[in-house]
Amino acid sequence: MTDYSAPGASARLYSQTNHDERGNFHYQGDLYRAGDNLATLAARIEGHLKAKFPATSFAIRTEKFAGGRKITAEILDTPTDLTPRDAQNSFFVEVRDQMERFGFTRSNLLQDFHTCSFYCEACISQAYWAAQAARCGAKNPVQAKVTLAAFKKQVRAGDRLKLIDAPAGHRALGTTRAIAQVRSGDMILEGRSYLTFPRASAFACDGKFVRISIGSEYDPGAHLLYEWLRHQAV
């Protein structure tokens, strides 16, 4: 049972709270705790989401800016098919409702007034689309023999990547580019282009082929398939 004993706590969820006749909106979640710093607040929300949605995995991101602070819950995987837009919006509301329980919001649209303890957002990661595509039968499957961490250690400047499959119309399809530099988050390729490393769940490598998932709601199975041509030292 939910405990609504916190002073000023609402017995309704954020999405169930309406403006009054004067345009005032006031919501304070039952899990709100004054004085939490951003790291503490994010950790509390992450633990709560894991308990509330045990079949769903999240990555929590935080940011501070001039207007306040923000916490984003990125959906990495869930058994729910989020391809339909209605399903996405419904799930976003469910997740944000649980996040809003940790904060408060006061606003009046007629007076252009808004204040809150933090802004929150739910979004879908490319990792979800990769997992969804795998469940539906992914094209060009690559056995994950080399982890992303191991690949970063093994790939070298001078190696080449040949793009052998990509979404239709990709300008680099069929081209082979040498790797100029390997950095922690990406690789610099010849021709002033770069390749960003994805999350580990969107990466697969068998030692010869590299598959990077770049799916979206419009094409969950979208990916880049490279042939990894290692430089042979003389």
Side-chain angles (χ1 to χ4, degrees):
M1 177 178 292
T2 303
D3 178 11
Y4 294 107
S5 59
S10 173
R12 295 183 176 182
L13 295 172
Y14 184 89
S15 66
Q16 299 169 338
T17 306
N18 299 316
H19 294 79
D20 66 18
E21 65 280 359
R22 296 183 179 180
N24 294 304
F25 179 89
H26 178 208
Y27 176 83
Q28 179 173 311
D30 58 299
L31 300 178
Y32 170 68
R33 192 168 67 190
D36 276 351
N37 61 38
L38 188 56
T40 299
L41 182 59
R44 292 181 64 212
I45 289 175
E46 182 174 22
H48 178 74
L49 291 180
K50 287 181 178 179
K52 193 70 178 180
F53 304 96
T56 301
S57 55
F58 296 93
I60 304 299
R61 301 198 311 267
T62 63
E63 58 182 301
K64 293 182 179 179
F65 46 91
R69 53 188 186 171
K70 181 178 180 180
I71 298 177
T72 301
E74 192 175 9
I75 301 164
L76 302 180
D77 196 14
T78 183
T80 303
D81 182 2
L82 298 180
T83 304
R85 184 57 61 91
D86 288 347
Q88 291 180 31
N89 292 336
S90 177
F91 196 57
F92 288 163
V93 169
E94 287 186 54
V95 174
R96 287 198 304 265
D97 270 346
Q98 296 305 315
M99 298 172 72
E100 292 284 5
R101 291 174 64 188
F102 291 82
F104 71 82
T105 298
R106 287 188 177 90
S107 67
N108 187 301
L109 297 177
L110 303 178
Q111 300 176 8
D112 194 25
F113 168 75
H114 182 93
T115 184
C116 62
S117 53
F118 67 95
Y119 296 92
C120 74
E121 180 183 5
C123 66
I124 303 175
S125 167
Q126 282 191 342
Y128 167 81
W129 298 118
Q132 180 67 8
R135 283 190 285 267
C136 296
K139 178 185 176 184
N140 294 325
V142 172
Q143 190 172 358
K145 295 181 178 179
V146 180
T147 65
L148 178 58
F151 177 77
K152 289 181 180 181
K153 293 179 180 179
Q154 294 178 29
V155 68
R156 296 284 186 270
D159 290 357
R160 294 175 297 148
L161 291 176
K162 181 179 181 181
L163 185 59
I164 58 178
D165 202 358
H170 196 290
R171 63 180 183 177
L173 185 60
T175 62
T176 301
R177 293 180 176 177
I179 299 171
Q181 184 181 1
V182 180
R183 305 189 295 189
S184 60
D186 60 21
M187 292 185 291
I188 306 299
L189 307 178
E190 64 177 349
R192 295 185 178 181
S193 63
Y194 66 93
L195 178 64
T196 302
F197 291 124
R199 290 186 178 275
S201 57
F203 177 89
C205 177
D206 61 6
K208 180 179 180 181
F209 295 103
V210 175
R211 188 183 191 280
I212 297 175
S213 297
I214 56 170
S216 68
E217 62 185 293
Y218 306 105
D219 184 6
H223 64 281
L224 304 173
L225 183 67
Y226 291 95
E227 183 178 2
W228 179 14
L229 305 169
R230 306 194 196 205
H231 176 68
Q232 299 296 325
V234 178

